[in-house]
Amino acid sequence: MIKLLRIKSSSRTEFVDITVGVQRLVAESGVRSGVCYVYAPHTTSAITINENSDPNVGRDILKELNKVIPFDDQYGHSEGNSAAHIKSSLMGVSKAILVEDGRLALGTWQAIFFCEFDGPRDRRVQVKVMAG
Amino acid sequence: MIKLLRIKSSSRTEFVDITVGVQRLVAESGVRSGVCYVYAPHTTSAITINENSDPNVGRDILKELNKVIPFDDQYGHSEGNSAAHIKSSLMGVSKAILVEDGRLALGTWQAIFFCEFDGPRDRRVQVKVMAG
Amino acid sequence: MIKLLRIKSSSRTEFVDITVGVQRLVAESGVRSGVCYVYAPHTTSAITINENSDPNVGRDILKELNKVIPFDDQYGHSEGNSAAHIKSSLMGVSKAILVEDGRLALGTWQAIFFCEFDGPRDRRVQVKVMAG
């Protein structure tokens, strides 16, 4: 079964740490060993896994992405958010994290982030845990 | 079992919407709940998930990628298609989409695209649906 | 069960071909049909799938990534390795490859690479094979 996390982003571009919410759904699933899928069903956001110890890491990633993919660059898409679509495809909407002993097998410094590229908005993240 | 979609790209770089073909294979698998893997077994193409309502979105993504990763940039690879290899790694060849009620659990605006970066060519996409 | 591959990188940025090691773990798992997850539990490395026939392909990918995401760019993160974190998120730490007839269903020219972006270091890669 697919479970949903609800997210309310507050900026145009923003990283929201969803590790605790995903871990809670892993625990609720009762799965001890398997895979956890985290999926953003939007076209201007993404999921990434990176460091959350220093919040500057997320800020640096966003700043550099916003520099490499400018908000305005003679895009053809009329809604004015082409940069957000491009960043979504570069970072990817679908990630899989292994599960062991009923917990996400993340590295010591890894956290799971919802990446907002066209906020602020109300967003959803799909989470599914499969045993195996 | 791995199923194959056959694709014939018609440009050097191009997005081909494969959502209908993938959904057909999900239906044929009989899986009601699980995960669908979509995988490009090539080194100069990729799979991405993004909007297909306005075809300008795909064009903007390609145009910007082709600008950030130039076709020619003193690359060492003698086949002359290094830019295509780089774009393949940036976008990724392997994606997983959740399946519920026998259908791909895509967001409202999401479609699955085969990304051609070194066409035109005959290409294959692997699709596998796992229950769980 | 999660299996580990141990890697010792020897440069600041480097691609290490881990295909043989992953294939060995697939064989040892006894799984004939399923999915193999390859996951880097670090925040300054990644996993990618690309050509290994000409080693210039990996070098071109690294050279271009290092150009698009400069090592120094007024980053806020005090450890001085923000570029490595950014490249990790762009390439992605988690990949899935299909398994058929007890073997990785890679394309003819595809290999699996561990991407070092902040070496040299001792690294680990998680590998898990699920039947289905």
Side-chain angles (χ1 to χ4, degrees):
Chain A
M1 187 142 67
I2 299 174
K3 299 285 186 173
L4 292 180
L5 291 177
R6 307 277 174 180
I7 290 156
K8 195 182 276 292
S9 63
S10 55
S11 305
R12 185 174 191 182
T13 64
E14 181 184 2
F15 274 25
V16 181
D17 189 336
I18 58 173
T19 313
V20 170
V22 177
Q23 178 56 56
R24 181 173 43 77
L25 293 175
V26 170
E28 288 175 14
S29 74
V31 171
R32 301 298 299 167
S33 172
V35 177
C36 175
Y37 301 91
V38 182
Y39 183 94
H42 307 286
T43 57
T44 54
S45 65
I47 305 294
T48 198
I49 297 164
N50 217 306
E51 181 188 322
N52 194 24
S53 175
D54 176 1
N56 276 327
V57 170
R59 288 183 205 125
D60 284 343
I61 297 174
L62 278 175
K63 201 186 70 170
E64 199 67 13
L65 269 183
N66 292 344
K67 186 171 152 184
V68 173
I69 310 294
F71 285 109
D72 299 300
D73 197 12
Q74 301 183 290
Y75 299 119
H77 181 45
S78 60
E79 290 183 32
N81 59 356
S82 282
H85 287 288
I86 298 164
K87 286 178 268 190
S88 171
S89 275
L90 282 173
M91 300 290 268
V93 298
S94 173
K95 304 289 161 178
I97 301 111
L98 301 180
V99 171
E100 200 163 57
D101 299 327
R103 293 191 59 80
L104 295 163
L106 293 165
T108 310
W109 303 102
Q110 286 185 322
I112 308 168
F113 293 95
F114 174 81
C115 311
E116 175 62 80
F117 295 127
D118 192 35
R121 294 211 204 184
D122 290 329
R123 301 289 204 172
R124 305 185 309 284
V125 173
Q126 300 175 351
V127 178
K128 185 183 177 85
V129 189
M130 277 173 68
Chain B
M1 187 141 67
I2 298 174
K3 299 284 187 174
L4 293 180
L5 291 177
R6 305 276 174 182
I7 290 157
K8 196 182 275 292
S9 64
S10 55
S11 305
R12 186 173 192 183
T13 64
E14 180 185 2
F15 274 25
V16 180
D17 188 338
I18 58 173
T19 314
V20 170
V22 177
Q23 178 56 56
R24 182 172 43 79
L25 293 175
V26 171
E28 288 175 14
S29 74
V31 171
R32 301 299 298 167
S33 172
V35 177
C36 175
Y37 301 91
V38 182
Y39 183 94
H42 306 286
T43 57
T44 54
S45 66
I47 305 293
T48 198
I49 297 164
N50 217 305
E51 182 189 320
N52 194 24
S53 175
D54 176 2
N56 276 327
V57 170
R59 288 183 205 126
D60 284 343
I61 297 175
L62 278 176
K63 200 185 71 168
E64 200 67 11
L65 269 183
N66 293 343
K67 186 171 152 184
V68 172
I69 310 295
F71 286 107
D72 299 299
D73 198 12
Q74 302 183 288
Y75 299 119
H77 181 45
S78 59
E79 291 184 31
N81 59 356
S82 282
H85 288 288
I86 299 164
K87 286 178 267 190
S88 171
S89 274
L90 282 173
M91 300 290 268
V93 299
S94 173
K95 305 288 161 178
I97 302 112
L98 301 180
V99 171
E100 200 164 56
D101 300 327
R103 292 190 60 80
L104 294 163
L106 293 164
T108 310
W109 303 103
Q110 286 184 324
I112 307 168
F113 292 95
F114 174 81
C115 311
E116 175 62 78
F117 294 127
D118 192 35
R121 292 212 205 184
D122 290 329
R123 300 289 205 173
R124 305 185 309 283
V125 174
Q126 299 176 349
V127 178
K128 185 183 177 85
V129 190
M130 277 172 68
Chain C
M1 185 141 67
I2 299 174
K3 299 285 185 172
L4 293 181
L5 292 177
R6 306 276 175 182
I7 290 157
K8 195 181 277 291
S9 63
S10 55
S11 305
R12 186 173 192 182
T13 64
E14 179 184 4
F15 275 25
V16 181
D17 188 337
I18 58 173
T19 314
V20 169
V22 177
Q23 177 57 54
R24 181 173 43 79
L25 293 175
V26 170
E28 288 175 14
S29 75
V31 171
R32 301 298 300 168
S33 171
V35 177
C36 175
Y37 302 91
V38 182
Y39 183 93
H42 307 286
T43 57
T44 53
S45 66
I47 305 293
T48 198
I49 297 165
N50 217 305
E51 182 189 321
N52 195 23
S53 174
D54 176 2
N56 275 327
V57 170
R59 288 182 206 128
D60 284 343
I61 298 174
L62 278 176
K63 200 186 71 169
E64 199 68 11
L65 268 183
N66 292 345
K67 185 171 153 185
V68 173
I69 310 295
F71 286 107
D72 299 299
D73 198 13
Q74 301 183 290
Y75 299 119
H77 181 44
S78 59
E79 291 184 32
N81 59 355
S82 282
H85 287 290
I86 299 164
K87 287 178 268 190
S88 171
S89 275
L90 282 173
M91 300 289 269
V93 298
S94 173
K95 305 288 161 177
I97 301 112
L98 301 180
V99 172
E100 201 164 54
D101 299 326
R103 292 190 61 79
L104 295 162
L106 293 165
T108 309
W109 303 103
Q110 287 184 323
I112 308 169
F113 292 95
F114 173 82
C115 311
E116 175 62 78
F117 295 127
D118 192 35
R121 292 212 206 184
D122 290 329
R123 301 289 205 173
R124 304 184 311 283
V125 173
Q126 299 175 350
V127 178
K128 186 183 175 84
V129 189
M130 277 172 69

